[in-house]
Amino acid sequence: MGCTQASAAKGNDNVRTSNTRVDREQDKKAAKEENKGYQQTMQFLSKVMLFKKLPKHQHPLLAAACQPAEYKVGQVVISQGDAGAEFFVIRRGQASISITKDNKTTKVATLKEGDYFGENALLREEPRSATITAETPLSCLKITREKFQELGLHEQLQFANRKAVGAGGRRQVATKPPSPKTPQETALIKDALLQNMNLQTMLKLDEARLEAVLAVLWKEVVPAGTELIREGDMTADYFYVVQDGSFDVYISDQGEEPGGGSG
């Protein structure tokens, strides 16, 4: 009787030891996968133009704060008018930006890998200014307002002013037929676009997007003294590439009227 009890106890100990070993192996495997995902996230974020100016020591903190989010084709990620508390960076896939005005919905842009959206709700606690819908299976990284502010990203990142996107359906903008372009002009325009850091933080300029911009640009001679844009304007309808000539930039200082200082 005593021998049987001893054998049973020894058998139970073996089962417990075996289970513990399996649990440890599973924990190791899970930790390895988690670390691999973390490294991949950090590597991806380091290539996103928006984050390139962040100090290197903050990249791991940013990666740890990001959460993965997956969306199916046709799924709405954010809706125009909703309150927002998250910021998104597209890791894989493609999404559309659409604006609804007077019950009419218009697609105004397409977002791809490396592009971001949702920053206005974090910076100014504004309602969502557009609807973002997955056009393909969409993989994103998202960060909450709480984490965004905790890391001080609202003070360190430079977001391009994208109010013009929201203005797409509000009024008619005068345009002209595209102008033919020489190879030299094409090269000049592409180089100007690629060197523009504000554009690079807003979206990834691949060859398809460069060609799309080239297809709609027109040439215009601007007389000396013409004011092209004014500081403080809430609309931004046109983008300029200077081919010949020069221009002056003036910015106001401590409440002075625009034009009061030299830039």
Side-chain angles (χ1 to χ4, degrees):
M1 187 73 175
C3 291
T4 303
Q5 289 176 342
S7 298
K10 184 176 182 181
N12 288 338
D13 288 341
N14 289 337
V15 170
R16 283 195 293 269
T17 301
S18 177
N19 288 340
T20 301
R21 186 179 296 112
V22 171
D23 289 342
R24 287 176 179 172
E25 290 299 322
Q26 290 177 340
D27 289 343
K28 287 181 180 179
K29 185 177 180 181
K32 186 176 180 180
E33 289 297 320
E34 183 178 350
N35 183 62
K36 180 180 178 181
Y38 169 77
Q39 293 295 333
Q40 290 175 340
T41 296
M42 191 161 63
Q43 184 178 20
F44 167 75
L45 292 173
S46 68
K47 297 179 181 178
V48 175
M49 189 63 66
L50 176 65
F51 301 124
K52 282 188 176 294
K53 292 186 178 180
L54 276 181
K56 293 293 183 182
H57 72 271
Q58 285 208 313
H59 286 192
L61 299 176
L62 176 63
C66 288
Q67 303 170 350
E70 306 289 331
Y71 302 92
K72 298 178 181 179
V73 176
Q75 188 173 354
V76 173
V77 183
I78 61 175
S79 296
Q80 181 178 347
D82 285 355
E86 294 170 323
F87 166 76
F88 299 80
V89 180
I90 296 179
R91 193 169 187 172
R92 288 182 299 274
Q94 184 171 298
S96 65
I97 303 176
S98 58
I99 303 292
T100 300
K101 179 70 174 179
D102 298 329
N103 296 321
K104 180 181 178 182
T105 300
T106 304
K107 178 182 173 179
V108 297
T110 299
L111 299 173
K112 298 181 181 180
E113 178 185 337
D115 293 339
Y116 63 85
F117 58 92
E119 72 276 13
N120 284 349
L122 300 184
L123 297 174
R124 294 176 284 276
E125 297 189 10
E126 295 177 352
R128 301 295 193 189
S129 59
T131 296
I132 309 294
T133 307
E135 291 188 330
T136 68
L138 190 67
S139 176
C140 297
L141 293 173
K142 64 180 181 179
I143 183 170
T144 64
R145 177 189 291 126
E146 180 182 4
K147 285 292 184 181
F148 191 84
Q149 295 179 346
E150 181 181 311
L151 294 176
L153 297 180
H154 58 299
E155 298 174 347
Q156 298 182 61
L157 297 180
Q158 182 179 359
F159 291 96
N161 188 332
R162 300 201 282 188
K163 290 184 177 295
V165 173
R170 298 179 186 173
R171 65 187 186 285
Q172 293 294 320
V173 178
T175 61
K176 296 181 181 180
S179 304
K181 300 164 188 71
T182 66
Q184 292 78 13
E185 290 172 337
T186 297
L188 170 70
I189 294 167
K190 285 187 176 182
D191 184 63
L193 294 174
L194 291 172
Q195 294 300 320
N196 189 300
M197 297 307 296
N198 283 332
L199 281 178
Q200 294 287 2
T201 59
M202 186 172 68
L203 48 80
K204 183 179 179 181
L205 285 172
D206 54 22
E207 188 63 25
R209 281 178 168 161
L210 290 172
E211 292 295 336
V213 173
L214 281 165
V216 297
L217 286 175
W218 68 86
K219 187 179 295 186
E220 191 167 301
V221 177
V222 180
T226 301
E227 183 181 88
L228 294 175
I229 58 177
R230 173 175 285 271
E231 180 185 359
D233 281 352
M234 297 301 289
T235 57
D237 296 323
Y238 303 105
F239 177 85
Y240 299 87
V241 176
V242 179
Q243 182 178 17
D244 294 304
S246 61
F247 60 89
D248 293 325
V249 178
Y250 299 91
I251 59 173
S252 58
D253 182 26
Q254 297 181 351
E256 293 180 4
E257 290 298 317
S262 177

